[in-house]
Amino acid sequence: MTALYLLRRENVLLLYRQGGRVVNDVWIGSAGGHFENNELNDAEACMLRELYEELHLTFEDIENTALRYVTLRRTKEEIRQNYYFFANLKEHVDDNLASNEGICKWFSLNETSSLEMPFTAKYVMDHFCTYGRYTDKIYVGIAEIDGVKFLDLPYTENKKL
């Protein structure tokens, strides 16, 4: 799955997801969802499709888009892999956004720790608010029983053996 968190200054747009098959009655990213078959090797394409389907926004409406977190969680006899993107909503775009997936609301980044969220999303937002927003690193998170352990993902070049 992918998730996109839209930022404007020190605020983040979250969605109170209603009627979802997997995630329901919790705060999640501004837009996101499952991959289509043609997107399996392109998480950004999945995120942009979901952005348009759920908020009627396009790549031209956002800036500084970056993949910042990839998490793995083993639950319910499956391994869930999530790609978390962050982007700024451009100033010309009205921030009074509505979604067909639930209720949109802007929160101060300082407020997000008290919200009910899916397991890995909660730890991603906490990490982002404390560390991630101050860097341009990509983090990998592995879900454990009592939380998510994050490591920064260093860039490595292919070297011939």
Side-chain angles (χ1 to χ4, degrees):
M1 293 185 68
T2 63
L4 171 66
Y5 291 87
L6 289 176
L7 303 168
R8 180 161 273 168
R9 291 174 283 286
E10 294 294 311
N11 298 308
V12 61
L13 181 69
L14 297 178
L15 172 73
Y16 189 76
R17 180 71 186 262
Q18 298 174 312
R21 185 171 41 92
V22 177
V23 175
N24 197 35
D25 295 332
V26 291
W27 292 100
I28 61 172
S30 312
H34 292 89
F35 283 78
E36 299 290 337
N37 285 339
N38 63 322
E39 299 165 337
L40 291 178
N41 291 316
D42 192 349
E44 186 176 45
C46 177
M47 176 273 295
L48 290 171
R49 177 184 51 78
E50 293 286 350
L51 175 67
Y52 183 76
E53 288 177 1
E54 295 177 13
L55 294 172
H56 303 290
L57 297 174
T58 66
F59 183 76
E60 287 75 30
D61 297 315
I62 59 177
E63 59 189 357
N64 303 319
T65 306
L67 174 63
R68 299 299 310 282
Y69 293 85
V70 178
T71 62
L72 293 172
R73 180 178 182 207
R74 185 174 169 192
T75 184
K76 297 181 183 176
E77 299 184 26
E78 67 181 1
I79 296 174
R80 294 184 183 169
Q81 184 172 339
N82 291 294
Y83 295 83
Y84 294 92
F85 290 85
F86 287 78
N88 294 316
L89 187 63
K90 287 186 176 177
E91 286 299 321
H92 76 273
V93 179
D94 184 359
D95 63 5
N96 188 18
L97 298 168
S99 174
N100 59 356
E101 302 277 336
I103 300 165
C104 290
K105 183 177 176 185
W106 288 94
F107 289 93
S108 163
L109 288 172
N110 298 330
E111 293 178 273
T112 60
S113 64
S114 65
L115 300 174
E116 187 174 341
M117 297 180 178
F119 187 80
T120 56
K122 176 80 168 163
Y123 287 97
V124 163
M125 277 307 300
D126 287 349
H127 190 275
F128 178 78
C129 290
T130 304
Y131 305 104
R133 69 178 163 159
Y134 303 110
T135 76
D136 60 357
K137 295 179 180 179
I138 298 174
Y139 295 94
V140 177
I142 303 296
E144 298 177 336
I145 293 171
D146 58 348
V148 176
K149 181 178 180 180
F150 291 102
L151 298 170
D152 61 315
L153 183 62
Y155 178 80
T156 59
E157 291 190 33
N158 292 335
K159 294 184 178 182
K160 293 183 180 183
L161 298 177

